Structure formats: C-alpha cells, structure tokens
Amino acid sequence: GKHTIFPFYASFLSNDRQQEVLHDVKGDGKGLYTRLGMVAGGICKKEAFYYCPYCAQNDIDQYGEPYIHREHQLQGIDLCPHHHSQLIRYPIDLKNRSRIEYMRFDAKQMIFLERKEVVSQGYRAIQMKLAKMAYQLMKVDINKFSREIVSDKYRSLLRERNLITASNRVRQEELFIAFTAKFPKGFLELYESDINMDDEYNWLKVLTRNLTRHVHPFRHLLFLYFLDEDVESFLQVNADKGPFGKGPWPCLNKAASHYRENVISNVVVSRDFKTNNPIGTFECSCGFIYARKGPDKIEEDKFRIGKVKEFGGIWKLKLNTLAQDGTLSYREIARKLGVDSKTVKKYLEEEREEGPQSKIHNTMLSQYKEELLEKLFNNPTYSRTQIQKEYPKQYMYLYRYDKEWLFEYLPKQFKKASVNKVVNWSARDKEYYKQIEQLYKELMELEKPVRITTSLIGRRLGILSNLEKNIDKLPRCTELLNKITESVQQFQVRRCCNIIDQKLKEQETILLWKVQRIAGVKSHHFHEIKPYLVEYLSNKQEVNRYE
C-alpha cells in the first residue's frame, strides 16, 4: 500500500470491499480494477503517465534518474502536491502498452520547465487543495478509513451545518445548493462530477445516504473541500451518533426500581422552532416521560432531564406512600423523587381536593396498576390467563373500574374458534360487508395513506382467519375486496396522485421527481408508474383550465 495507489481508492470502500480487494491482490489480481471501481466508476481517466518537472529534476539530482510518482497518476489530480506545478504528460500512450510491462522515465523525453497554465486561476486554488488531500490519502493508515467510518463523520459535519433533519435525513435540496455554490462555474463539469438533482442516484445523494454503492474517491475529496476539511483534520472528526447518541437510554424515574437503568429503547426527536435545536422525548413503560434539548455533548447528558412530561402511576404511588409516612417534609419527599418541592405540594393538593373516599380509590387503582405493570415488565411472555390467576384481586378491581387501561396493557387475547357452532354465513357475509365498507372509508381518509389489503382489513376488524379460510362462503365480501384492495403499484399510484392533488390545491408547480421523493417510491418502480401520473396530471390540469 505504501508504494501503490491502493490507499486512494480503498479509503472510501466498505470494510468488506477492502478485504475483498486485499484478497484479490494476494491472489492472481483478476477483477482488481473492477472491484476498486476504476473501470465502470472511473472519471477523468489518465491514458498516460504524468510527472512534475520539479520532482523529476530533484530525482535526477538525488538518484541520477527520475521515477514515476504515484501521487501524479491519480484520476482528477492535475497539480503536484509538493510544487503546485501543472503535471505534464509523459509522451507514451498506455492504451497500446501491456499492463504488466515495466516502465521507466527517460529524462531525454521530459520537459523540465513548467508549462503554461491550462486552467484559470479561479480553479487553481481548489486544484491545489485537492492534490494535497490526495497525497495525504497516500500516507494515511488505511485502518482509519472505511466507507462506514467516513459516512458517520460526514453526518456529524452535516449536522453541524443544519443539513440533517430532526428525523435524521439529509436535507438533499439544501445540500445540493450549498455544495454547487462552493465551486466556480464549470468546475464540476470539467471534472465529470456535475450533479443532476432529478436523478435519485446522483453521486452526491449516494455519497450521503447509501452505504452499499461506492463513489469515486476524487468526488469524496470534492465533498471534503465543501466541508472545509482536509484528510488530516477529517480524521479528528467524531462519528455522528445522532443528537442523543445511540440507545438504549435510562429511565430517570427516581420512584422506579429500574432508575438510571437503560430500559428505554426509542427516542422521539422533534425540533425546537425558536432555536432549531433537536428535542428528544423519552417514554418508559413505567409511565414516566421526560424530554430534553440536544444535542448531547458529554456522556452525563443522558442522565439530564429538561422537562418531565408525565410522572406516571409508579411515581404517584411512591409520592402517596412517602406522604402517608407523616414524618417527611415536602422538601425531603421532593429530594427522594427528584423533583421540586412545589411539584410535590401541587400533586398532593390535587389528591386532597378529590376527597378521602376518592383518594383511597385512586390509591388502590394506582397500586394495582403498579403491581400489574411490574409483573408485565418482569414477565413479558405472560398470557392474560396467567396474569388473572396470579393477581385475581387486582385483575377484578381494574376490570370493574378501569377496563380500558387494563385491556390496553394486558397481552393480546387469542380467541379460539368454538367447535360445533352453526354459523349463518349469509348473515355474517352481510355483517362483514358493512364493517369492511366502513373501515375502507376511514382508511381512505387517513392523512398518511396505507395500502388496502385483505390482511390489513382482516387484522383491523379481527376477522382475518375467516377472510383467509372461509372466503368462499362470503361472496359479497369477496366482490368488495376484489374491488377495493390494491397491488403495490396501485398503492404507489394513489400516493403520488394524492401528492399531485395537494400541490395543485396549493397552486405549486408539479415536478414529478419531487412527487417521487415525497411518496418514497424507488426509481425503478417510479419509471413504471410515471406514464399513469403524466396522464393523471394532464387530465387534472385540463379540468382546472375549464373550471
């Protein structure tokens, strides 16, 4: 690696691809150029060797003859990183030479005066930085670079520039505008790296969101230039782990037995409209919900609460237990629960206002809920029957006074089909038909569309088994389902048409690539449905013209 251009290409390959390339090198070398992306993915290809006149003269002075410098042969690099001079083409065409032939420079065929610049001064400063970065890659420890490591560092730098959304997506339009504005007009085209925003697989999008496809290393250098980094400074960038790091996160409910344990698996990230900072909301199964502004900067930040949104039943039960002790002040109770004394006072006064009988009832409800929650938390595989047998008193009390809560937290119930029961299939067909018809209307009015399928309808109505096993006994339902269920392609068309309708309503210009992006349809699928959308849009605009 120290005497080849391998580091230039390998630095931006995935770990797996790096290992495959090394295996190729150790073997017969077949497929090596293809694996590195130098064949299909090559840009600014050099069909000859290049040299710097000053480096060549130094070689002659020091060694008696010039040698081929690997940093002068890299695709896209036009200047010498040491002397900033224009590289000169050595007068031998590599197209007609064997790949394994030994080559050496002949000083008699070389020019030792720098030729006149063939590029504008506006390009030169960028070319110098790119040449220096390419040379830095030649010297870097390959273990410090891989596609995975580089991508995480990119996201960290993009997040600093507010080019990552709260939902952790790259703001591709803003990135495209900022990136292209960084370079003089014509520069990207000159280096075969211009960007078509209508192409879902243009190199800038692939580079920032796709780990399976690879991008030419010269384009990675263009991206580093845009980020105002060079290879050495880029190595010091910390990898992005999201504004709140990687989970799980701790429950910060001081009343719970799992306090400060990492039991919260998900964080909901939103954005503060005033400061634009991310806000993370963390919800534990014990009912405790807290939020804080990000991003987290140190490890201890994960134990910081910005605001408690919900204390939950376990916390309130602990509050009542501490208050009934009679020997603790508000301040002491507050310290034990990790809140302000005013919060303790507020919740206890609310309890008193409800009256003594109501207070006892609420305490019992909280206590029984707490006991069931703890049981469910520690025994996630338990069935409803097991819960009812082990906690009959709690189960019956909650069934009588808070059935909705009980059924929300109990495991799902699996009903057994009754044996020897005579079913009136005609009546059931009519009943199911009405239920399906009503559910279909509700599904079609959802703000976020879902694909209408037999399994979706069956699960929502709890009749999936009959729709799958006894559909031949339900002719009316069969006819209706055939009419309303959608293939994947039909659902894609409906999503796109809904977006077109919305944009027409808001009098926006319709760009089909934007419709594709909002709908989340992959390019090869979108290509198939595009004719339908063009016809739909044409008909809609024709109608609007005459209205």
Side-chain angles (χ1 to χ4, degrees), residues 357-372:
Q357 195 63 35
S358 178
K359 181 177 178 180
I360 293 170
H361 169 67
N362 285 336
T363 302
M364 288 179 69
L365 274 178
S366 296
Q367 179 182 336
Y368 291 164
K369 286 178 182 178
E370 152 73 358
E371 290 170 358
L372 276 186

PDB file of all heavy atoms in Angstrom, residues 357-372:
ATOM      1  N   GLN A 357     -62.627   9.415  50.142  1.00  0.00           N
ATOM      2  CA  GLN A 357     -63.049   8.159  49.519  1.00  0.00           C
ATOM      3  C   GLN A 357     -62.421   8.008  48.130  1.00  0.00           C
ATOM      4  O   GLN A 357     -61.932   6.948  47.758  1.00  0.00           O
ATOM      5  CB  GLN A 357     -64.588   8.116  49.424  1.00  0.00           C
ATOM      6  CG  GLN A 357     -65.149   6.730  49.136  1.00  0.00           C
ATOM      7  CD  GLN A 357     -64.834   5.741  50.258  1.00  0.00           C
ATOM      8  OE1 GLN A 357     -64.792   6.090  51.426  1.00  0.00           O
ATOM      9  NE2 GLN A 357     -64.575   4.487  49.878  1.00  0.00           N
ATOM     10  N   SER A 358     -62.462   9.131  47.396  1.00  0.00           N
ATOM     11  CA  SER A 358     -61.878   9.125  46.050  1.00  0.00           C
ATOM     12  C   SER A 358     -60.368   8.889  46.118  1.00  0.00           C
ATOM     13  O   SER A 358     -59.784   8.212  45.269  1.00  0.00           O
ATOM     14  CB  SER A 358     -62.173  10.454  45.354  1.00  0.00           C
ATOM     15  OG  SER A 358     -61.585  10.490  44.090  1.00  0.00           O
ATOM     16  N   LYS A 359     -59.764   9.449  47.171  1.00  0.00           N
ATOM     17  CA  LYS A 359     -58.307   9.305  47.332  1.00  0.00           C
ATOM     18  C   LYS A 359     -57.935   7.846  47.568  1.00  0.00           C
ATOM     19  O   LYS A 359     -56.991   7.320  46.968  1.00  0.00           O
ATOM     20  CB  LYS A 359     -57.839  10.166  48.494  1.00  0.00           C
ATOM     21  CG  LYS A 359     -56.332  10.112  48.719  1.00  0.00           C
ATOM     22  CD  LYS A 359     -55.918  11.034  49.841  1.00  0.00           C
ATOM     23  CE  LYS A 359     -54.424  10.938  50.083  1.00  0.00           C
ATOM     24  NZ  LYS A 359     -53.996  11.828  51.182  1.00  0.00           N
ATOM     25  N   ILE A 360     -58.712   7.157  48.424  1.00  0.00           N
ATOM     26  CA  ILE A 360     -58.451   5.734  48.694  1.00  0.00           C
ATOM     27  C   ILE A 360     -58.612   4.927  47.414  1.00  0.00           C
ATOM     28  O   ILE A 360     -57.797   4.068  47.084  1.00  0.00           O
ATOM     29  CB  ILE A 360     -59.408   5.216  49.794  1.00  0.00           C
ATOM     30  CG1 ILE A 360     -59.085   5.892  51.133  1.00  0.00           C
ATOM     31  CG2 ILE A 360     -59.312   3.696  49.922  1.00  0.00           C
ATOM     32  CD1 ILE A 360     -60.118   5.630  52.203  1.00  0.00           C
ATOM     33  N   HIS A 361     -59.708   5.237  46.695  1.00  0.00           N
ATOM     34  CA  HIS A 361     -59.984   4.526  45.435  1.00  0.00           C
ATOM     35  C   HIS A 361     -58.836   4.737  44.436  1.00  0.00           C
ATOM     36  O   HIS A 361     -58.353   3.779  43.827  1.00  0.00           O
ATOM     37  CB  HIS A 361     -61.306   5.038  44.860  1.00  0.00           C
ATOM     38  CG  HIS A 361     -61.573   4.580  43.456  1.00  0.00           C
ATOM     39  ND1 HIS A 361     -61.809   3.261  43.139  1.00  0.00           N
ATOM     40  CD2 HIS A 361     -61.635   5.278  42.281  1.00  0.00           C
ATOM     41  CE1 HIS A 361     -62.012   3.162  41.837  1.00  0.00           C
ATOM     42  NE2 HIS A 361     -61.908   4.362  41.296  1.00  0.00           N
ATOM     43  N   ASN A 362     -58.409   5.986  44.296  1.00  0.00           N
ATOM     44  CA  ASN A 362     -57.327   6.287  43.345  1.00  0.00           C
ATOM     45  C   ASN A 362     -56.012   5.644  43.760  1.00  0.00           C
ATOM     46  O   ASN A 362     -55.222   5.213  42.922  1.00  0.00           O
ATOM     47  CB  ASN A 362     -57.135   7.802  43.220  1.00  0.00           C
ATOM     48  CG  ASN A 362     -58.241   8.441  42.400  1.00  0.00           C
ATOM     49  OD1 ASN A 362     -58.868   7.773  41.591  1.00  0.00           O
ATOM     50  ND2 ASN A 362     -58.499   9.718  42.624  1.00  0.00           N
ATOM     51  N   THR A 363     -55.784   5.596  45.074  1.00  0.00           N
ATOM     52  CA  THR A 363     -54.565   4.954  45.573  1.00  0.00           C
ATOM     53  C   THR A 363     -54.568   3.466  45.240  1.00  0.00           C
ATOM     54  O   THR A 363     -53.549   2.904  44.815  1.00  0.00           O
ATOM     55  CB  THR A 363     -54.432   5.155  47.096  1.00  0.00           C
ATOM     56  OG1 THR A 363     -54.419   6.556  47.376  1.00  0.00           O
ATOM     57  CG2 THR A 363     -53.158   4.515  47.618  1.00  0.00           C
ATOM     58  N   MET A 364     -55.749   2.828  45.415  1.00  0.00           N
ATOM     59  CA  MET A 364     -55.858   1.405  45.099  1.00  0.00           C
ATOM     60  C   MET A 364     -55.661   1.173  43.600  1.00  0.00           C
ATOM     61  O   MET A 364     -54.968   0.238  43.187  1.00  0.00           O
ATOM     62  CB  MET A 364     -57.230   0.872  45.545  1.00  0.00           C
ATOM     63  CG  MET A 364     -57.367   0.748  47.059  1.00  0.00           C
ATOM     64  SD  MET A 364     -58.984   0.147  47.565  1.00  0.00           S
ATOM     65  CE  MET A 364     -58.902  -1.542  46.986  1.00  0.00           C
ATOM     66  N   LEU A 365     -56.267   2.040  42.781  1.00  0.00           N
ATOM     67  CA  LEU A 365     -56.090   1.919  41.337  1.00  0.00           C
ATOM     68  C   LEU A 365     -54.612   2.024  40.968  1.00  0.00           C
ATOM     69  O   LEU A 365     -54.081   1.211  40.205  1.00  0.00           O
ATOM     70  CB  LEU A 365     -56.883   3.011  40.598  1.00  0.00           C
ATOM     71  CG  LEU A 365     -58.352   2.742  40.278  1.00  0.00           C
ATOM     72  CD1 LEU A 365     -58.961   3.950  39.588  1.00  0.00           C
ATOM     73  CD2 LEU A 365     -58.511   1.519  39.392  1.00  0.00           C
ATOM     74  N   SER A 366     -53.953   3.050  41.533  1.00  0.00           N
ATOM     75  CA  SER A 366     -52.529   3.256  41.234  1.00  0.00           C
ATOM     76  C   SER A 366     -51.697   2.075  41.696  1.00  0.00           C
ATOM     77  O   SER A 366     -50.789   1.611  40.998  1.00  0.00           O
ATOM     78  CB  SER A 366     -52.032   4.544  41.906  1.00  0.00           C
ATOM     79  OG  SER A 366     -52.686   5.665  41.380  1.00  0.00           O
ATOM     80  N   GLN A 367     -52.026   1.581  42.900  1.00  0.00           N
ATOM     81  CA  GLN A 367     -51.260   0.473  43.462  1.00  0.00           C
ATOM     82  C   GLN A 367     -51.408  -0.782  42.608  1.00  0.00           C
ATOM     83  O   GLN A 367     -50.421  -1.457  42.285  1.00  0.00           O
ATOM     84  CB  GLN A 367     -51.726   0.195  44.889  1.00  0.00           C
ATOM     85  CG  GLN A 367     -50.978  -0.973  45.554  1.00  0.00           C
ATOM     86  CD  GLN A 367     -51.496  -1.248  46.948  1.00  0.00           C
ATOM     87  OE1 GLN A 367     -52.054  -0.361  47.581  1.00  0.00           O
ATOM     88  NE2 GLN A 367     -51.346  -2.475  47.410  1.00  0.00           N
ATOM     89  N   TYR A 368     -52.662  -1.088  42.237  1.00  0.00           N
ATOM     90  CA  TYR A 368     -52.905  -2.297  41.444  1.00  0.00           C
ATOM     91  C   TYR A 368     -52.306  -2.179  40.042  1.00  0.00           C
ATOM     92  O   TYR A 368     -51.805  -3.166  39.484  1.00  0.00           O
ATOM     93  CB  TYR A 368     -54.409  -2.578  41.362  1.00  0.00           C
ATOM     94  CG  TYR A 368     -55.023  -3.000  42.685  1.00  0.00           C
ATOM     95  CD1 TYR A 368     -56.396  -2.972  42.886  1.00  0.00           C
ATOM     96  CD2 TYR A 368     -54.213  -3.431  43.752  1.00  0.00           C
ATOM     97  CE1 TYR A 368     -56.965  -3.359  44.088  1.00  0.00           C
ATOM     98  CE2 TYR A 368     -54.767  -3.816  44.951  1.00  0.00           C
ATOM     99  CZ  TYR A 368     -56.142  -3.772  45.126  1.00  0.00           C
ATOM    100  OH  TYR A 368     -56.685  -4.153  46.311  1.00  0.00           O
ATOM    101  N   LYS A 369     -52.355  -0.988  39.486  1.00  0.00           N
ATOM    102  CA  LYS A 369     -51.731  -0.773  38.164  1.00  0.00           C
ATOM    103  C   LYS A 369     -50.216  -0.964  38.261  1.00  0.00           C
ATOM    104  O   LYS A 369     -49.600  -1.566  37.382  1.00  0.00           O
ATOM    105  CB  LYS A 369     -52.057   0.634  37.648  1.00  0.00           C
ATOM    106  CG  LYS A 369     -53.483   0.790  37.158  1.00  0.00           C
ATOM    107  CD  LYS A 369     -53.751   2.230  36.708  1.00  0.00           C
ATOM    108  CE  LYS A 369     -55.198   2.396  36.265  1.00  0.00           C
ATOM    109  NZ  LYS A 369     -55.496   3.787  35.858  1.00  0.00           N
ATOM    110  N   GLU A 370     -49.663  -0.418  39.341  1.00  0.00           N
ATOM    111  CA  GLU A 370     -48.219  -0.545  39.562  1.00  0.00           C
ATOM    112  C   GLU A 370     -47.813  -2.016  39.662  1.00  0.00           C
ATOM    113  O   GLU A 370     -46.832  -2.462  39.057  1.00  0.00           O
ATOM    114  CB  GLU A 370     -47.836   0.222  40.833  1.00  0.00           C
ATOM    115  CG  GLU A 370     -46.627  -0.296  41.582  1.00  0.00           C
ATOM    116  CD  GLU A 370     -45.328   0.018  40.865  1.00  0.00           C
ATOM    117  OE1 GLU A 370     -45.382   0.604  39.778  1.00  0.00           O
ATOM    118  OE2 GLU A 370     -44.275  -0.354  41.377  1.00  0.00           O
ATOM    119  N   GLU A 371     -48.615  -2.798  40.431  1.00  0.00           N
ATOM    120  CA  GLU A 371     -48.293  -4.214  40.624  1.00  0.00           C
ATOM    121  C   GLU A 371     -48.384  -4.986  39.309  1.00  0.00           C
ATOM    122  O   GLU A 371     -47.537  -5.834  39.006  1.00  0.00           O
ATOM    123  CB  GLU A 371     -49.230  -4.819  41.674  1.00  0.00           C
ATOM    124  CG  GLU A 371     -48.932  -4.299  43.081  1.00  0.00           C
ATOM    125  CD  GLU A 371     -50.003  -4.695  44.096  1.00  0.00           C
ATOM    126  OE1 GLU A 371     -50.997  -5.338  43.697  1.00  0.00           O
ATOM    127  OE2 GLU A 371     -49.852  -4.358  45.278  1.00  0.00           O
ATOM    128  N   LEU A 372     -49.434  -4.696  38.516  1.00  0.00           N
ATOM    129  CA  LEU A 372     -49.568  -5.369  37.226  1.00  0.00           C
ATOM    130  C   LEU A 372     -48.455  -4.957  36.260  1.00  0.00           C
ATOM    131  O   LEU A 372     -47.916  -5.790  35.524  1.00  0.00           O
ATOM    132  CB  LEU A 372     -50.935  -5.061  36.599  1.00  0.00           C
ATOM    133  CG  LEU A 372     -52.103  -5.927  37.066  1.00  0.00           C
ATOM    134  CD1 LEU A 372     -53.345  -5.606  36.243  1.00  0.00           C
ATOM    135  CD2 LEU A 372     -51.798  -7.403  36.928  1.00  0.00           C
TER     136      LEU A 372
END
